[in-house]
C-alpha cells in the first residue's frame, strides 16, 4: 500500500475488530477523528470511518482466544490476581461485585461466598480451585496486613490500611490480571461458554444474575442456528 486512499472500509473495521471495551472505544474515536481530518485536508476522498461504531460491534458477546486462556493462573503473579481470575473466569463475577465482597461473606468451611447485589444476596458455591485460591488469599492478606480492619475481602496495599475502609479500585483488580485480559472479557467468555453448553437463558439468569435480554443475547451468540429464525 502506497497511499492512504487505498485503505478499504473492511480494513478500517478489522483494525478495531480485535479489541473491546474502553480500548475499542478509544481506538474507534481516534480513527474517526483521523479520517475526518484527512478528508478535510483532501488527503483522502472518502471518510471510511464516518459510520464506524464507537461501541462494541453489534453488541455480540465474543469468547477469549484459547491461547490467552491457557495458563491464566500461572501468568497471574499474586494471590490477589489468581483469585480475581477465578472469580471472573469461573464464576463470571463483574468487577463491581468483586469490589463489594466482604470477609464475612466468605465461609471456607462450607465452601461458599456471599455476593451483594443491591438489597439481594447471592451465594456462590466454590469449587475446589476457587476455594483453594480464596484460602491462599486470606492467608496472604492476614500475614501482609494483620492489623487491617477493612471489611472488604479484596484489598490493596493502600485500601488495606485506609481508616475509611474503601473498596479496592477497579484499576487495581484489572492490573492484577495477566496482560491482554480484562475483567469484562473473562466474565463474558465464561457466560458464553455456559450458554454454549446449556442454551438455557433461565440457567444463565440464575447463575450469573443477568437479565432475560442479556441471557438471550448470549444464547443467540452461542447458538445462532437456533435463533436465526426467531421473530425480532
Amino acid at each position: 500500500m502506497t497511499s492512504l486512499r487505498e485503505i478499504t472500509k473492511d480494513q478500517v473495521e478489522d483494525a478495531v475488530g480485535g479489541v473491546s471495551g474502553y480500548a475499542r472505544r478509544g481506538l474507534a474515536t481516534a480513527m474517526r477523528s483521523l479520517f475526518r481530518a484527512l478528508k478535510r485536508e483532501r488527503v483522502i476522498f472518502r471518510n471510511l470511518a464516518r459510520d464506524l461504531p464507537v461501541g462494541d460491534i453489534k453488541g455480540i458477546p465474543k469468547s477469549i482466544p484459547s491461547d490467552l486462556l491457557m495458563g491464566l493462573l500461572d501468568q497471574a503473579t499474586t494471590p490477589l490476581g489468581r483469585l480475581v481470575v477465578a472469580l471472573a473466569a469461573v464464576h463470571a463475577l463483574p468487577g463491581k461485585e468483586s469490589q463489594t465482597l466482604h470477609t464475612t461473606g466468605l465461609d471456607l468451611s462450607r465452601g461458599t461466598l456471599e455476593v451483594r447485589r443491591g438489597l439481594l444476596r447471592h451465594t456462590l458455591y466454590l469449587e475446589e480451585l476457587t476455594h483453594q485460591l480464596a484460602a491462599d488469599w486470606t492467608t496472604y492478606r492476614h500475614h501482609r496486613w494483620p492489623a487491617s480492619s477493612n471489611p472488604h475481602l479484596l484489598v490493596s496495599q493502600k485500601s488495606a490500611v485506609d481508616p475509611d475502609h474503601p473498596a479496592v479500585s477497579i484499576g487495581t483488580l484489572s492490573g492484577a490480571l495477566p496482560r491482554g485480559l480484562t475483567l469484562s472479557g473473562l466474565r463474558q467468555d465464561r457466560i458464553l461458554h455456559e450458554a454454549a453448553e446449556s442454551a438455557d437463558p433461565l440457567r444463565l439468569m440464575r447463575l450469573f444474575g443477568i437479565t432475560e435480554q442479556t441471557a438471550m443475547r448470549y444464547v443467540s451468540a452461542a447458538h445462532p442456528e437456533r435463533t436465526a429464525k426467531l421473530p425480532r
Side-chain angles (χ1 to χ4, degrees), residues 71-117:
L72 276 182
L73 294 177
D74 293 333
Q75 297 174 43
T77 58
T78 65
L80 174 64
R82 287 189 282 273
L83 180 55
V84 170
V85 166
L87 293 175
V90 177
H91 298 279
L93 270 192
K96 290 188 178 297
E97 290 187 358
S98 294
Q99 283 181 289
T100 59
L101 294 173
H102 279 207
T103 54
T104 55
L106 176 63
D107 189 335
L108 291 175
S109 63
R110 295 184 178 181
T112 60
L113 177 61
E114 184 183 78
V115 180
R116 302 185 175 208
R117 291 176 176 167

Side-chain angles (χ1 to χ4, degrees), residues 41-59:
E41 297 297 326
R42 299 184 179 180
V43 176
I44 58 176
F45 295 123
R46 296 174 56 216
N47 180 359
L48 300 177
R50 178 179 178 180
D51 299 321
L52 187 67
V54 176
D56 288 341
I57 296 179
K58 300 179 183 178

